[in-house]
Amino acid sequence: MPPHSLPLPKAFNPRETLRAAVPFLGPPPDLQDLRYLLVDRGEEVAQAFYQSILGSADAMPFIESPEKLAKLHNSLKEWLSSFLSAPPDAHERGLLAIRMTQAHLVIGMPLELTMLGHHNLRRIVQRELLERWPAGDRLGLIDASDRINRAFDYDLLLMVSTYHSGSLGQAQLVGKKLQEVNERLQSSLAAQENLLRSTSHELRTPLTAMLGLLDLQRAGAYATAVEAERAQDDVLGAARHLNSLVDDLLHLSRLEVGKSSFRFEEFDAAEAAAEVCRRFAPRFEPAGLSLQVVHEGPQRVQADPERFAQVLSNLLQNALRHTTEGGVKVSFRTLESNSHMLVQVSDSGEGLEAKMQARLFEPFSQGAQRAGGLGLGLAICRRLVLGMGGRIRARSDGPGHGAFFEFTLPLPGRNLPPACSAGEASASTRILVVDDDAVWRSDMVDWLAAALSARVIGVGSAAQAVEAVDTLHFHLILVDVALPGVEGHAHQDGISLLESLACRASSMLAPKWLVSGHPPEFLAAELEQAWHDSFWQKGRILVDRDAFLDAIRQQLELQLS
């Protein structure tokens, strides 16, 4: 990814702007003959300039720390050297003016303050020229002063143009983000319409059957007690089906709004899976299907054992529904990042079409309803797995080749205090790390703070992340994909948190990276829709920390310049 900066419209051309100003300002002046007088006064000019800033109540909030003041001090000396060495229309002068102006834009400094600072700088340089000019050469001083004034006029024109173009670029970027929000809103509205259609249709079916059977009973249509008893059984079956549909709707609704609680504890997932399979065995055996749990030793995870059993039960029921021969196998393995356990439910059933695999876990989707009903079972599985800090996916080699349903759960022993920080509070660069894995979060916070001389804050939940960005401005936000649910809050994993951050004024333009212990192919469908600037797998970071650090430095290049 390119370094994060406020974008300039493609039409912005500094040289064209300067050329258009020649009739008004005269030709760009050459200051090379004044360099010997002023270039060694860079320290004095910078010192005088920042003394004037220290006395400004309006400007000081933008100079947040001694470190930032020192960086600005050095950049001013660099600017003065370039100002005296190259004409205003030179490439390096244009780049320097644009870079400094963009730095002001990033920290939110208003244009009027930048212009007042520029005016101060002009006055200081003119004073230095007057003090060092040879006595008696009044005409030469007038010419030198005029050329410096014209050079400052060109410089100011370039800065104002950059401000204007940067603001346009920022407005375009915000407009693009708002358009994306609107598109997702339209998609959400379409999903709600689909929900209403599907729900009304599925609820009407058992209700219609019940009403018809009861009407027939009232009309005396059943001649014998056996017929009447069979009709009552049909009514009871329709009522149970209706009750199941309502239960699924209520369950999914509670999960969506954060009303379902999770009780996290360490347990053996293989032992829990064996117990679930024992309960399902009587349903598999009559169909001539095998059901086995394959593992080597305990497979301990940190999750909710009751919710784990519910997810596995739904997946086994789904496999039973779509498998006519062979069987189902439950197996386990640890991800390479050593952060999550992968639980795999594989069957030898009818398989899945490629286009169906990504939609299976969406409520009311056509794929999820392939066996009738509202198609909420797999959607509930997804919400439960997300709430426990994992991910779930389905994959298949196609129709007739069986299917693999895989979900992950966090490994135990990584729960520490939910927030941490490192680096000087006054540091000019701030990074936010959002990760529920407290060991990883703590290591990352300490490492980045030391390597980048930055203030790094680590939080363990989406709610804490939102609170942090509303309090401080961050130059980079690193978000873990899998975040567990928090009781009393609608669940937000890393993907949905990014969407929330992208819609907040305080974090809309901050670069956002996704970090995960899951391989990218496990997250392919989600990454296509995620509002992220880059994706890094934790295993890759562990193998090559230098590459990760170099990428962060590049992302922060503008802020650290």
Side-chain angles (χ1 to χ4, degrees):
M1 297 297 296
H4 176 69
S5 63
L6 294 176
L8 296 177
K10 293 180 179 179
F12 178 61
N13 187 324
R15 289 199 168 187
E16 287 297 327
T17 300
L18 295 176
R19 272 196 285 269
V22 170
F24 304 94
L25 302 179
D30 185 356
L31 305 180
Q32 284 280 3
D33 59 317
L34 304 180
R35 180 178 172 81
Y36 78 97
L37 281 175
L38 297 173
V39 72
D40 64 339
R41 302 292 292 172
E43 183 68 31
E44 289 77 4
V45 169
Q47 190 65 35
F49 178 72
Y50 286 110
Q51 281 300 322
S52 67
I53 284 185
L54 293 174
S56 169
D58 292 327
M60 274 309 294
F62 299 98
I63 314 299
E64 299 168 338
S65 66
E67 290 82 3
K68 179 170 283 189
L69 184 63
K71 287 178 182 178
L72 292 173
H73 190 91
N74 291 331
S75 68
L76 181 58
K77 290 193 291 184
E78 179 187 357
W79 172 87
L80 182 61
S81 177
S82 175
F83 180 80
L84 296 171
S85 302
D89 57 348
H91 181 68
E92 59 269 27
R93 276 287 305 284
L95 287 180
L96 184 60
I98 290 173
R99 191 180 72 184
M100 293 182 70
T101 306
Q102 282 196 307
H104 289 180
L105 277 167
V106 166
I107 63 176
M109 182 178 288
L111 174 59
E112 55 268 27
L113 275 181
T114 296
M115 294 179 68
L116 285 173
H118 195 265
H119 174 76
N120 259 358
L121 191 57
R122 183 196 303 242
R123 179 176 53 80
I124 293 167
V125 171
Q126 286 282 18
R127 187 181 65 203
E128 289 290 332
L129 176 69
L130 182 61
E131 290 178 357
R132 306 201 74 184
W133 192 259
D137 186 8
R138 189 161 179 266
L139 290 179
L141 176 60
I142 292 174
D143 174 69
S145 179
D146 175 66
R147 282 185 288 143
I148 283 183
N149 271 326
R150 280 191 289 127
F152 266 100
D153 287 341
Y154 272 103
D155 203 67
L156 181 60
L157 173 63
L158 192 56
M159 292 181 73
V160 172
S161 299
T162 305
Y163 251 96
H164 175 65
S165 299
S167 297
L168 286 177
Q170 186 177 20
Q172 291 172 0
L173 182 58
V174 171
K176 182 180 178 182
K177 292 290 186 183
L178 291 176
Q179 182 179 359
E180 292 176 359
V181 171
N182 183 61
E183 290 172 356
R184 297 205 175 193
L185 177 60
Q186 295 300 323
S187 176
S188 175
L189 291 174
Q192 289 182 32
E193 291 178 4
N194 185 37
L195 181 153
L196 291 173
R197 286 196 301 270
S198 300
T199 303
S200 60
H201 172 75
E202 293 298 335
L203 294 179
R204 187 183 295 115
T205 300
L207 279 173
T208 301
M210 292 169 63
L211 290 172
L213 290 167
L214 291 173
D215 284 341
L216 288 172
Q217 186 179 37
R218 173 176 287 183
Y222 305 118
T224 67
V226 173
E227 290 180 349
E229 185 176 352
R230 187 181 300 119
Q232 290 175 1
D233 289 342
D234 289 341
V235 171
L236 185 60
R240 284 173 175 164
H241 178 54
L242 181 62
N243 184 66
S244 175
L245 293 175
V246 173
D247 279 348
D248 281 349
L249 282 169
L250 290 176
H251 192 180
L252 183 63
S253 175
R254 286 195 298 269
L255 287 168
E256 291 282 4
V257 299
K259 293 284 182 69
S260 286
S261 60
F262 291 85
R263 293 184 294 108
F264 292 95
E265 60 182 76
E266 182 180 339
F267 67 94
D268 185 349
E271 183 180 315
E275 175 60 24
V276 173
C277 290
R278 185 189 64 78
R279 296 200 304 267
F280 267 81
R283 301 174 59 183
F284 275 74
E285 291 169 359
L289 300 174
S290 64
L291 177 59
Q292 56 181 324
V293 179
V294 180
H295 65 97
E296 295 182 5
Q299 305 292 323
R300 306 199 70 79
V301 297
Q302 183 77 23
D304 184 326
E306 184 177 338
R307 302 300 193 185
F308 168 79
Q310 185 177 354
V311 171
L312 187 58
S313 296
N314 280 355
L315 294 181
L316 291 178
Q317 185 172 327
N318 182 74
L320 180 62
R321 187 182 298 127
H322 301 288
T323 305
T324 56
E325 59 182 24
V328 176
K329 181 172 67 175
V330 181
S331 58
F332 304 83
R333 69 177 175 87
T334 302
L335 295 184
E336 292 180 1
S337 63
N338 204 35
S339 62
H340 287 73
M341 176 72 67
L342 176 73
V343 184
Q344 183 184 81
V345 179
S346 57
D347 65 57
S348 55
E350 60 194 47
L352 299 167
E353 296 180 5
K355 63 181 181 180
M356 184 185 295
Q357 295 174 28
R359 301 199 310 267
L360 273 179
F361 300 99
E362 298 175 6
F364 315 107
S365 69
Q366 183 178 357
Q369 299 177 64
R370 59 190 178 137
L374 282 174
L376 294 180
L378 293 178
I380 290 172
C381 283
R382 179 175 182 271
R383 297 305 191 280
L384 290 173
V385 171
L386 290 179
M388 290 187 287
R391 315 308 279 182
I392 189 169
R393 70 168 177 173
R395 59 186 181 89
S396 171
D397 292 332
H401 291 86
F404 297 86
F405 286 81
E406 301 171 326
F407 65 96
T408 61
L409 295 173
L411 293 178
R414 308 181 74 84
N415 295 321
L416 292 177
C420 57
S421 61
E424 295 293 332
S426 58
S428 57
T429 302
R430 286 185 291 270
I431 299 173
L432 178 64
V433 177
V434 187
D435 201 307
D436 66 296
D437 184 337
V439 174
W440 173 275
R441 182 175 68 243
S442 179
D443 289 346
M444 184 64 59
V445 165
D446 291 340
W447 174 53
L448 291 179
L452 298 171
S453 299
R455 176 66 170 175
V456 185
I457 295 175
V459 298
S461 70
Q464 291 175 325
V466 170
E467 182 181 351
V469 300
D470 284 346
T471 305
L472 292 170
H473 168 72
F474 290 95
H475 303 91
L476 176 63
I477 302 174
L478 306 177
V479 179
D480 182 29
V481 171
L483 297 174
V486 177
E487 188 171 357
H489 294 273
H491 177 248
Q492 276 195 303
D493 63 347
I495 304 293
S496 57
L497 173 60
L498 283 185
E499 183 171 345
S500 176
L501 294 178
C503 296
R504 303 181 80 85
S506 56
S507 53
M508 179 179 287
L509 298 178
K512 305 168 192 69
W513 289 12
L514 276 176
V515 178
S516 179
H518 298 76
E521 59 270 17
F522 202 99
L523 308 167
E526 293 176 296
L527 291 178
E528 286 182 3
Q529 301 296 323
W531 292 11
H532 66 300
D533 298 293
S534 184
F535 172 82
W536 282 80
Q537 189 180 355
K538 289 182 178 179
R540 180 186 170 198
I541 296 173
L542 292 173
V543 170
D544 194 350
R545 284 197 166 202
D546 288 340
F548 181 64
L549 197 59
D550 287 344
I552 289 181
R553 286 197 179 103
Q554 184 182 11
Q555 182 77 81
L556 297 173
E557 185 180 23
L558 176 64
Q559 288 88 341
L560 297 177
S561 63

